[in-house]
Amino acid sequence: MSAATAFLGLVVFILLAWILSSQRRLFPWRTVIAGLGLQFLLGWLILGTQAGAWFFNQLDGVFKKLLSFANEGVSLVFGPLANTEVLARSWGPENTFVFVVTVTGTIILVSAISSALYHYGILQRVVRLMAWGMRRLMGTSGSESLASAANVFMGQSEAPLVIKPYLASMTRSELMALMTGGMATIAGGVMAAYVSFGISAGHLLTASFMSAPAALMMAKILLPETQVSETAHGADRSPPRESVNGIDAICIGAGDGMKLAINVMAMLIAFVSMVALANYLLSLGLGVVGITDAHPLQTVLGWINAPFAWLMGIPWKDCQVVGSILGERIVLNEFVSYLNLSQLSQKGVALDVRSQTIATYALCGFANFSSIAIQIGGISALVPSRREELAKLGGKSMIGGLLACYSTACVAAIIMP
């Protein structure tokens, strides 16, 4: 029954994208069929085969080992203040500093490794191979395919650097695909942080891989291509490397990771505080009419998003809880949502393992209001002449990113036993 509901949800989400399309008569059948095919193929290979199960378990093991390496560096700098055993026991205020330090170390390590892999061209080869496959199967251009593949490993501000030589000449539809890809996936650094919360690395990486073709699919439905792309037959120009050697690349990556970690901490402080303020103000208003609710914002978001959770194959008894987390992701960000998802058991909320897994797929993307500003600022810094177009596409790309993540959750729900 869950799989049947998820299949219905997949149809509904594609239909919603078509309703919001700027060119409904130009439905991209090839892109949609190939995109769905790639999603199901990737999902089946990882979630439905013995080889995939082995890879999945190995991936979880690799990331846990990676976290232990990050803890070595953190312990050197902070000593007993970075006691991860304290963090594992509870999430109380007494170990908040441990949480901050541990997440910071994880982000810095992954960022440094990614920078080194980029310097030696390893990351580019993997990205180009993925982009070649998507371009051949889905009929998308070289630049948008390359950006979509890069977003699996990089953040929404870093992935555009891979196609920097083409940004000025990209069509509006390609810009839409670029932005939607950034909304539908997460960066390697923050993915490692979510693993430190207890979220499965295997599910997170599987979701990112599956959402790459889903993002192209949703972007092309929302804004079909009506122009001739410069990279219709491929993209072979590469931006120059900023690093001189491997050591320099690690230093640059570590510095970028520190900036990201500080940004994450700032967002958590700001958004969690804003939620507390909103709950307080809403409680005052509800108190006037005799309604008592300690978390009215989460309650409202839960009811609004519960139907979307149900369409992903989540049992109705869990839909309000998951819906609330989905709503927090849109209004705040996915970092807060993943943190709350990992804390549900400690708050006494019983959520099915399957429901929690589907929610992991649905949340695996940067699709929120703050990301609109991040993308407009980040991409326009590389190509100032396109700022106005980026601003006009911001809201639609966020919707495309949400629909891509939700369709990935549906596919995962259909494939999972």
Side-chain angles (χ1 to χ4, degrees):
M1 189 61 189
S2 173
T5 306
F7 184 81
L8 172 64
L10 188 59
V11 174
V12 169
F13 295 138
I14 292 174
L15 183 62
L16 282 174
W18 176 76
I19 291 171
L20 297 172
S21 174
S22 59
Q23 296 280 348
R24 293 193 189 96
R25 293 182 179 179
L26 299 178
F27 189 82
W29 287 103
R30 175 184 173 182
T31 303
V32 171
I33 293 171
L36 287 173
L38 275 175
Q39 275 193 291
F40 275 101
L41 178 62
L42 290 169
W44 176 75
L45 286 174
I46 299 175
L47 300 175
T49 65
Q50 289 186 348
W54 177 85
F55 174 76
F56 189 95
N57 292 330
Q58 292 299 312
L59 189 63
D60 268 339
V62 167
F63 263 87
K64 287 176 182 176
K65 195 66 177 177
L66 196 64
L67 294 181
S68 71
F69 296 146
N71 291 337
E72 290 290 329
V74 167
S75 298
L76 174 66
V77 176
F78 294 98
L81 293 175
N83 188 348
T84 53
E85 293 181 4
V86 175
L87 182 64
R89 287 198 292 269
S90 68
W91 289 85
E94 70 279 1
N95 56 36
T96 301
F97 183 76
V98 179
F99 161 71
V100 170
V101 168
T102 303
V103 170
T104 299
T106 302
I107 292 174
I108 290 174
L109 175 60
V110 173
S111 181
I113 292 173
S114 298
S115 182
L117 291 175
Y118 189 87
H119 172 80
Y120 289 111
I122 298 171
L123 197 58
Q124 293 95 310
R125 289 187 181 94
V126 175
V127 167
R128 287 188 178 279
L129 179 61
M130 289 177 56
W132 179 85
M134 286 191 289
R135 183 175 68 83
R136 290 294 182 124
L137 292 172
M138 301 180 69
T140 49
S141 72
S143 57
E144 62 192 0
S145 301
L146 196 59
S148 183
N151 271 307
V152 174
F153 308 98
M154 304 176 187
Q156 56 187 335
S157 299
E158 295 81 25
L161 292 171
V162 177
I163 57 166
K164 185 178 178 180
Y166 303 104
L167 287 173
S169 60
M170 288 178 77
T171 66
R172 288 187 76 248
S173 182
E174 288 176 321
L175 282 179
M176 176 68 178
L178 167 65
M179 297 179 75
T180 303
M183 295 285 187
T185 52
I186 58 174
V190 293
M191 184 178 79
Y194 303 149
V195 174
S196 70
F197 296 169
I199 306 296
S200 166
H203 285 310
L204 288 170
L205 193 58
T206 303
S208 275
F209 272 104
M210 290 171 65
S211 288
L216 283 176
M217 175 181 74
M218 291 299 180
K220 290 305 175 185
I221 297 174
L222 288 165
L223 187 58
E225 186 64 85
T226 57
Q227 301 169 269
V228 178
S229 169
E230 177 190 350
T231 61
H233 302 292
D236 52 10
R237 281 185 280 168
S238 299
R241 293 175 183 169
E242 296 182 1
S243 51
V244 178
N245 52 36
I247 299 296
D248 186 36
I250 292 172
C251 293
I252 292 173
D256 290 342
M258 190 66 225
K259 293 174 188 175
L260 175 59
I262 292 173
N263 185 49
V264 165
M265 286 184 273
M267 287 192 299
L268 280 176
I269 292 170
F271 287 120
V272 171
S273 301
M274 290 298 292
V275 168
L277 174 61
N279 276 326
Y280 174 73
L281 295 175
L282 287 172
S283 296
L284 288 180
L286 292 173
V288 175
V289 294
I291 300 175
T292 303
D293 190 338
H295 304 94
L297 179 61
Q298 283 88 336
T299 301
V300 171
L301 291 174
W303 284 116
I304 292 174
N305 290 281
F308 293 104
W310 180 79
L311 284 169
M312 296 175 207
I314 292 174
W316 184 251
K317 67 182 181 64
D318 293 335
C319 282
Q320 185 174 3
V321 175
V322 175
S324 176
I325 293 174
L326 293 175
E328 285 177 339
R329 176 268 201 90
I330 299 170
V331 178
L332 306 175
N333 57 48
E334 78 295 334
F335 206 100
V336 175
S337 295
Y338 272 127
L339 184 58
N340 288 336
L341 182 65
S342 68
Q343 294 178 338
L344 286 178
S345 61
Q346 297 176 26
K347 295 176 181 177
V349 179
L351 194 69
D352 286 351
V353 174
R354 183 180 175 84
S355 299
Q356 189 162 352
T357 301
I358 295 172
T360 298
Y361 282 82
L363 292 172
C364 195
F366 288 133
N368 55 65
F369 289 116
S370 59
S371 288
I372 298 175
I374 291 171
Q375 287 210 21
I376 293 172
I379 301 174
S380 64
L382 300 175
V383 54
S385 61
R386 310 298 297 269
R387 184 180 183 87
E388 184 178 341
E389 289 176 279
L390 292 167
K392 290 179 179 178
L393 295 173
K396 208 164 200 177
S397 67
M398 188 195 78
I399 294 172
L402 281 174
L403 293 174
C405 291
Y406 291 176
S407 70
T408 295
C410 289
V411 172
I414 293 169
I415 294 172
M416 282 189 301

